Amino acid sequence: MAAPEAFVAQGKKIVAIGRNYSEHIKELSNDAPTEPMFFLKPTTSYLPSGGSVEIPQGVLAHYEVELGLVVGKTGRDIAQADADAHIAGYALAVDMTARNMQDVVKKKGHPWSAAKGFDTFTPISAYVPKTALKDPNDLTLTLKVNGVTKQNGNTNQMIFKIPRMVEHISSIMTLEAGDLILTGTPSGVGPLVPGDKVECTLSDTTGHTLATLTFNAIQRQGGYRFAPASK
């Protein structure tokens, strides 16, 4: 990869950690994991800041603001002590979820890649180099919908810290330069409807803004339509 800031164009996968904030686990009535749990999102779901999230017909779309880790050095079986050397920088992201689709397939024990993988379902900020921040484990994540704050959390609330996430993921699959790791979302997730405007910020302990992310929600025309089977 020529430069880590090209991760959106050149990265091969998005690895998303789930259930990494206790209050978010409670709000969705999920069980707490005993080790990092993750799923994959396609890179075709990336949406640069300023774009529009397309909500498919019949879908209840939820926002989840997250800190993203940009992998700068390929590695397998990475020890926690070596994790930082494999991270080039960071980004602010929103993991969009088709919540009603996810709920249906989870109850059936089916995979839920589709609920996370729609085009435009990973809005992403500009790249933040590692040198721009002191401590990734003490950053504030905020998300506003139409000017109203919905999520306001800190990465110090994460159950599994960054070195543990990198160790766990790389023990299962090789992390490649350009990959993005989404580290989980704090509480306050909720729905977006067409016409909503979203503003997100990533800031440090001094209040300095490291990244911003903005996007609109619109109705997708055509494509997949979610219509759950009637009971």
Side-chain angles (χ1 to χ4, degrees):
M1 189 167 97
E5 58 267 25
F7 73 96
V8 170
Q10 300 181 12
K12 294 184 178 179
K13 58 184 176 289
I14 303 169
V15 185
I17 299 288
R19 306 182 189 179
N20 203 25
Y21 287 76
S22 297
E23 293 303 312
H24 174 59
I25 292 172
K26 292 176 184 177
E27 72 180 347
L28 294 186
S29 300
N30 287 324
D31 295 326
T34 57
E35 64 180 13
M37 60 167 286
F38 65 87
F39 53 91
L40 300 179
K41 299 190 70 169
T43 56
T44 48
S45 69
Y46 275 134
L47 175 74
S49 183
S52 296
V53 164
E54 299 178 357
I55 301 176
Q57 298 282 341
V59 162
L60 174 64
H62 274 200
Y63 53 78
E64 302 180 13
V65 69
E66 313 202 8
L67 174 68
L69 314 177
V70 179
V71 177
K73 178 181 165 185
T74 297
R76 182 186 185 207
D77 295 335
I78 301 167
Q80 290 192 44
D82 299 325
D84 187 64
H86 289 264
I87 298 170
Y90 305 89
L92 181 61
V94 172
D95 172 25
M96 293 297 300
T97 305
R99 189 70 71 198
N100 53 347
M101 284 182 62
Q102 186 187 46
D103 289 345
V104 168
V105 295
K106 280 173 66 177
K107 289 178 181 177
K108 295 179 179 179
H110 295 170
W112 33 273
S113 295
K116 295 281 192 175
F118 286 104
D119 288 352
T120 75
F121 263 37
T122 311
I124 192 78
S125 76
Y127 171 75
V128 180
K130 185 163 60 176
T131 53
L133 55 92
K134 292 182 179 180
D135 184 6
N137 294 300
D138 194 5
L139 299 174
T140 298
L141 304 164
T142 66
L143 180 145
K144 294 181 179 180
V145 179
N146 301 326
V148 178
T149 299
K150 299 293 186 178
Q151 290 189 275
N152 186 354
N154 192 291
T155 56
N156 61 22
Q157 300 163 344
M158 292 192 299
I159 297 169
F160 301 107
K161 303 304 181 185
I162 291 170
R164 178 72 177 103
M165 287 185 260
V166 172
E167 175 191 60
H168 180 72
I169 296 166
S170 69
S171 74
I172 295 169
M173 60 183 65
T174 298
L175 284 170
E176 300 171 277
D179 288 348
L180 182 75
I181 301 172
L182 299 181
T183 58
T185 190
S187 61
V189 303
L192 288 183
V193 297
D196 283 344
K197 298 183 183 299
V198 180
E199 302 168 272
C200 308
T201 60
L202 176 69
S203 54
D204 61 21
T205 54
T206 70
H208 174 65
T209 299
L210 299 164
T212 60
L213 170 60
T214 62
F215 58 93
N216 301 318
I218 63 173
Q219 188 71 63
R220 181 177 177 180
Q221 301 302 314
Y224 178 78
R225 181 186 183 95
F226 180 61
S230 59
K231 295 181 180 179

